[in-house]
Amino acid sequence: MHDRIVRNIRLLSPEGWQAADLAIDQGRFSAIGKTDEAGREIIDGRGSLCFPGGVDLHVHFNEPGRTRWEGFSTGSLAAAAGGCTFAAEMPLNSIPSTTTVQALEEKLHSIGAKSHVDFALWGGLVPGNLESLQPLADEGVIAFKAFMSPSGTDDFINSDIATLKEGMKRIAPTGKFLALHAEDPAVLDPANRRLARRSNALDWEASRPVEAEISAIEIAIELAGETGCPIHIVHVSSAQALAPIAQAKAKGVDITCETCPHYLLLSIEDAERIGPDAKCAPPLRYRNSLATLWECLAAGEIDTIGSDHSPCPPEMKAGLSFFDSWGGISGLQHGLPLLWHRCANDPKSLFQLTRLSTLNPAKKVGLETKGSLKIGKDADFILVDSKTPPEKIELRDLLYKHSASAYCGMEQSLAVRQTWLRGNPIFENGAPSGDPTGKFYRLPSESPAPR
Ligand code: ZN
């Protein structure tokens, strides 16, 4: 007798959708496929499509210190609404940044029992915190993040080459990797000086050309080669920036990369219309480059998809020019559903896309119990309904602390009805199912320092 059986769902394979049931015991999958076995509780899946819970390695909930921008309570609920059951919080823009063990403990204390989804924390590499890297790895941060160009806040300083190199040397033996915001200030600065005008979205794109990404990625690849430290390039904006990564992979460099839904869904021309809600760095690119990014995704050149959900209070966007406003896109709640919408009639692409937002990120950080619908794994899954006609994303639907999103007005044909975490529903029909039950995951380093 199983604890629970969710009957009448449909599972995705590259060939299409198959009818199935899910059995759950002690929060884990115990049978998958059609089953006649009995369950203490039977749930009718109502023919919904079933995906593994999303694993988002790139969120900024800004807790503690900038909880007025988002916070774990609202951010994690939006994650559940957007089909994620696991989120990894970046080391910035909380205050303090997660660059010491003390800051990590402070962050955990502040988060308390507020998270609706399971979560982990990133550690930061900044000038001056080299001695904290091993202790942070021992405390179970998933990996480290550094900026090669200014981060946008004064409390997370970008790393010069010497810091990156020494940091990588120290990260390599921990078994962790270094994630990089890769834009080269040596390319950004002259691009900025050349600008005739600094007002609209197109100027913003011109101020941060793709060449800045390529140059930074090339530097990072060289450092990875010298130090043996695995690297992960976050938020790659275009196919051009993927080329050096693919070449390095072919040469055996331990490098992976992430893109974000907004680079696949929105162009800089869209940003011109949307305004600062669509501002990010690296910037959105021109419309004609989006198709090539999708082609690279199909060719297997992208390893993970992360939201880079990075909200701010309305006064840091509204009424300001593109240059004066905060750079960050609120997209956690609709990024994945909008990507599914694009592939709704193409099971092969949908299957591949799903791997990039579930299994691949889970594997990348060694989360063995997450990321797929397999017997023995945590019963983290989402039930998704088709909407005919597609529904429009409205401001009133947003669960973030502030109702703003670059995706408002767009249409989605696949919408999350229910989200399950470790065998229990946590979100249903636009609202939480109960109090938050998200657990903190420590991912200890491979070779902890002797205590
Ligand atoms: Zn980010």
Side-chain angles (χ1 to χ4, degrees):
M1 171 93 66
H2 294 291
D3 288 350
R4 282 178 158 163
I5 298 180
V6 185
R7 291 207 189 281
N8 188 22
I9 53 151
R10 285 183 288 158
L11 292 181
L12 177 63
S13 77
E15 290 75 44
W17 294 95
Q18 283 146 9
D21 308 318
L22 293 173
I24 300 164
D25 284 284
Q26 294 173 344
R28 296 192 168 198
F29 295 119
S30 49
I32 295 167
K34 275 288 169 198
T35 175
D36 298 326
E37 291 171 60
R40 268 179 279 278
E41 192 184 348
I42 305 290
I43 294 112
D44 182 6
R46 301 185 347 208
S48 294
L49 311 179
C50 180
F51 292 90
V55 174
D56 191 342
L57 297 183
H58 197 155
V59 303
H60 298 268
F61 292 162
N62 309 336
E63 175 135 11
R66 287 194 178 91
T67 47
R68 216 171 64 73
W69 294 22
E70 181 63 285
F72 253 80
S73 186
T74 45
S76 66
L77 183 61
C84 287
T85 49
F86 191 94
E89 160 79 347
M90 280 291 172
L92 70 162
N93 304 304
S94 54
I95 306 172
S97 307
T98 320
T99 51
T100 63
V101 169
Q102 196 191 335
L104 178 93
E105 296 305 335
E106 232 176 283
K107 188 166 205 154
L108 279 173
H109 180 76
S110 175
I111 295 166
K114 275 185 251 170
S115 187
H116 289 273
V117 298
D118 285 349
F119 66 98
L121 303 179
W122 285 84
L125 164 63
V126 292
N129 86 325
L130 292 169
E131 299 304 327
S132 292
L133 299 175
Q134 176 81 52
L136 280 166
D138 294 348
E139 289 300 319
V141 295
I142 60 165
F144 294 92
K145 164 89 177 281
F147 271 70
M148 295 175 76
S149 57
S151 75
T153 66
D154 294 336
D155 36 54
F156 196 92
I157 304 295
N158 55 313
S159 293
D160 51 68
I161 305 279
T163 302
L164 289 174
K165 189 168 175 177
E166 193 52 38
M168 286 189 192
K169 276 190 199 162
R170 292 177 186 228
I171 292 166
T174 68
K176 305 282 176 193
F177 60 90
L178 180 64
L180 288 155
H181 177 119
E183 285 183 292
D184 183 356
V187 180
L188 293 179
D189 294 343
N192 255 301
R193 280 198 298 274
R194 278 196 304 271
L195 280 186
R197 199 183 49 183
R198 300 167 60 83
S199 62
N200 63 21
L202 305 186
D203 303 339
W204 176 247
E205 200 277 342
S207 77
R208 305 187 85 101
V210 73
E211 289 75 21
E213 283 184 76
I214 295 170
S215 172
I217 289 167
E218 285 170 350
I219 293 168
I221 288 168
E222 209 171 301
L223 292 172
E226 284 172 35
T227 60
C229 180
I231 54 172
H232 180 63
I233 309 297
V234 294
H235 50 50
V236 176
S237 73
S238 76
Q240 284 162 283
L242 286 170
I245 299 172
Q247 283 162 17
K249 277 181 184 168
K251 286 187 197 147
V253 178
D254 194 341
I255 180 171
T256 49
C257 64
E258 166 202 80
T259 194
C260 311
H262 42 262
Y263 296 115
L264 291 159
L265 295 164
L266 298 171
S267 65
I268 198 67
E269 291 96 330
D270 294 324
E272 231 349 46
R273 171 178 51 80
I274 297 167
D277 282 342
K279 178 183 174 183
C280 57
L284 300 174
R285 301 299 180 191
Y286 280 87
R287 189 168 295 139
N288 58 15
S289 78
L290 262 65
T292 359
L293 189 60
W294 276 100
E295 282 165 25
C296 290
L297 190 149
E301 288 184 32
I302 297 167
D303 301 282
T304 65
I305 290 176
S307 66
D308 196 4
H309 177 65
S310 185
C312 67
E315 66 271 18
M316 291 176 72
K317 293 270 198 193
L320 297 176
S321 84
F322 227 82
F323 280 73
D324 294 332
S325 65
W326 170 253
I329 288 182
S330 279
L332 186 52
Q333 196 180 334
H334 294 99
L336 290 182
L338 286 167
L339 291 176
W340 303 332
H341 172 73
R342 284 293 177 92
C343 306
N345 300 314
D346 177 359
K348 195 164 165 262
S349 301
L350 192 55
F351 186 81
Q352 190 193 18
L353 191 71
T354 300
R355 278 182 90 93
L356 299 194
S357 58
T358 57
L359 187 60
N360 283 11
K363 275 189 174 167
K364 178 72 198 166
V365 297
L367 260 178
E368 280 161 14
T369 60
K370 305 272 182 203
S372 60
L373 306 173
K374 290 264 161 61
I375 292 172
K377 298 249 189 188
D378 286 350
D380 297 348
F381 60 94
I382 49 177
L383 299 181
V384 169
D385 286 348
S386 301
K387 301 285 175 188
T388 343
E391 42 177 50
K392 203 185 234 185
I393 297 166
E394 308 273 6
L395 268 182
R396 62 166 186 267
D397 303 331
L398 302 179
L399 298 168
Y400 312 131
K401 182 154 281 180
H402 304 288
S403 285
S405 165
Y407 300 134
C408 277
M410 291 175 78
E411 290 190 329
Q412 57 177 24
S413 57
L414 293 173
V416 175
R417 173 167 66 83
Q418 234 178 39
T419 304
W420 289 63
L421 180 68
R422 284 178 277 105
N424 294 296
I426 56 165
F427 173 86
E428 189 167 8
N429 297 327
S433 307
D435 290 335
T437 56
K439 260 194 348 196
F440 172 56
Y441 281 64
R442 272 183 213 273
L443 295 161
S445 52
E446 278 172 12
S447 49
R451 299 216 182 198

